[in-house]
Each structure stands twice: as structure tokens, then as C-alpha cells.
């Protein structure tokens, strides 16, 4: 469990053209149970309905805070995706889109298997803005 391996996982998990087309990329970094849960979430009708409207997601960077004792990490992630105004059609295969910057805070929990750590849980946390006081 180190920053480089966690960042590699985040890149593979958060970068895709269409939701779910990166499953083979992130699968080796997860437990089987977590992988099955993530795939089930991606296959829910609400996510499938958005699949062709939110595309080309790309990981940009992350601040990663590792808790060795708890075998977890808090990751403040920045990524972008393209939001299409409508689903592509035969008459309009490339509808207008706009690139959206996003941020998300994730808590990754790990278990150790052999010499490797696998992500065993992903908790999405609300990103909090704070006012700096001087």
C-alpha cells in the first residue's frame, strides 16, 4: 500500500470511454467481492441510462493520505468527463458536448493477500470545502 500503487488503481478505475469498459483494467486491484459489487452498481438501470451521456472520463490527479494502521487511504481525486447534450444517433453521431471538471473524495480500504494489497471497499465521501482563516 503506497501512493504509486494507489494512484495507478485510481487511474485505471476512474478512466474510461464508457462506464464499465475499464473493468478488466481495475479488476486485478480489487477483491472479487468488491469487483462484483462495483459491476452490479455499474449495471443498474440509472447508470446504464447515463452511460452514453457521460463519456471519456479521465483521471487527472489525486492527493492520497494513507493510514497504515487502518489499512486504508483517503483520496481526494480530480477528473474530467465529457457530458453530451443528447445520446449519439445515426443522424448525429457526434452530438455537442462539454468537458466537466469533477472532484471526489474516496476512502479505500485494503486487505493484504500475499505481498500485495487489494482494495476491499470503496466509500464515496462528500467533498468538504473549508474556509481558510488567517
Amino acid at each position: 500500500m503506497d501512493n504509486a500503487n494507489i494512484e495507478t488503481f485510481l487511474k485505471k478505475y476512474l478512466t474510461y470511454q464508457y462506464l464499465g469498459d475499464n473493468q478488466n483494467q481495475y479488476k486485478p486491484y480489487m477483491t472479487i467481492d468488491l469487483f462484483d459489487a462495483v459491476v452490479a452498481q455499474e449495471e443498474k438501470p440509472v447508470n446504464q441510462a447515463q452511460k452514453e451521456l457521460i463519456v471519456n472520463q479521465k483521471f487527472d490527479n489525486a492527493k492520497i493520505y494513507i493510514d497504515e494502521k487502518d489499512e486504508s487511504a483517503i483520496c481526494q481525486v480530480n477528473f474530467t468527463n465529457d457530458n453530451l447534450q443528447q445520446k449519439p444517433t445515426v443522424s448525429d453521431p457526434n452530438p455537442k458536448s462539454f468537458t466537466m471538471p469533477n472532484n471526489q473524495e474516496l476512502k479505500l480500504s485494503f486487505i493484504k493477500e500475499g505481498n500485495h494489497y487489494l482494495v476491499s471497499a470503496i466509500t464515496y465521501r462528500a467533498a468538504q470545502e473549508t474556509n481558510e482563516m488567517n
Side-chain angles (χ1 to χ4, degrees), residues 19-128:
L19 180 67
D21 71 2
N22 60 335
Q23 292 172 351
N24 289 335
Q25 297 293 315
Y26 62 74
K27 183 178 182 178
Y29 296 86
M30 295 181 168
T31 62
I32 292 169
D33 289 342
L34 178 59
F35 178 77
D36 290 345
V38 168
V39 170
Q41 181 69 27
E42 290 175 351
E43 292 176 353
K44 285 187 174 183
V46 66
N47 292 324
Q48 289 297 307
Q50 294 180 354
K51 184 177 183 174
E52 292 181 23
L53 294 173
I54 300 173
V55 298
N56 302 323
Q57 184 164 294
K58 183 180 177 216
F59 170 88
D60 288 329
N61 58 60
K63 290 182 182 175
I64 300 168
Y65 305 93
I66 297 173
D67 182 340
E68 295 282 345
K69 183 179 177 183
D70 189 39
E71 294 188 331
S72 66
I74 301 296
C75 307
Q76 296 171 337
V77 182
N78 294 301
F79 58 96
T80 58
N81 55 35
D82 294 338
N83 291 345
L84 304 180
Q85 291 183 349
Q86 65 185 33
K87 289 184 178 184
T89 62
V90 173
S91 62
D92 188 7
N94 298 307
K96 290 183 181 180
S97 67
F98 56 96
T99 301
M100 215 35 208
N102 294 285
N103 59 58
Q104 179 70 57
E105 187 171 293
L106 310 172
K107 179 181 180 186
L108 305 178
S109 299
F110 298 89
I111 61 167
K112 191 169 185 178
E113 282 193 4
N115 293 330
H116 303 284
Y117 283 92
L118 296 176
V119 180
S120 60
I122 301 172
T123 306
Y124 291 85
R125 300 163 50 118
Q128 297 178 357

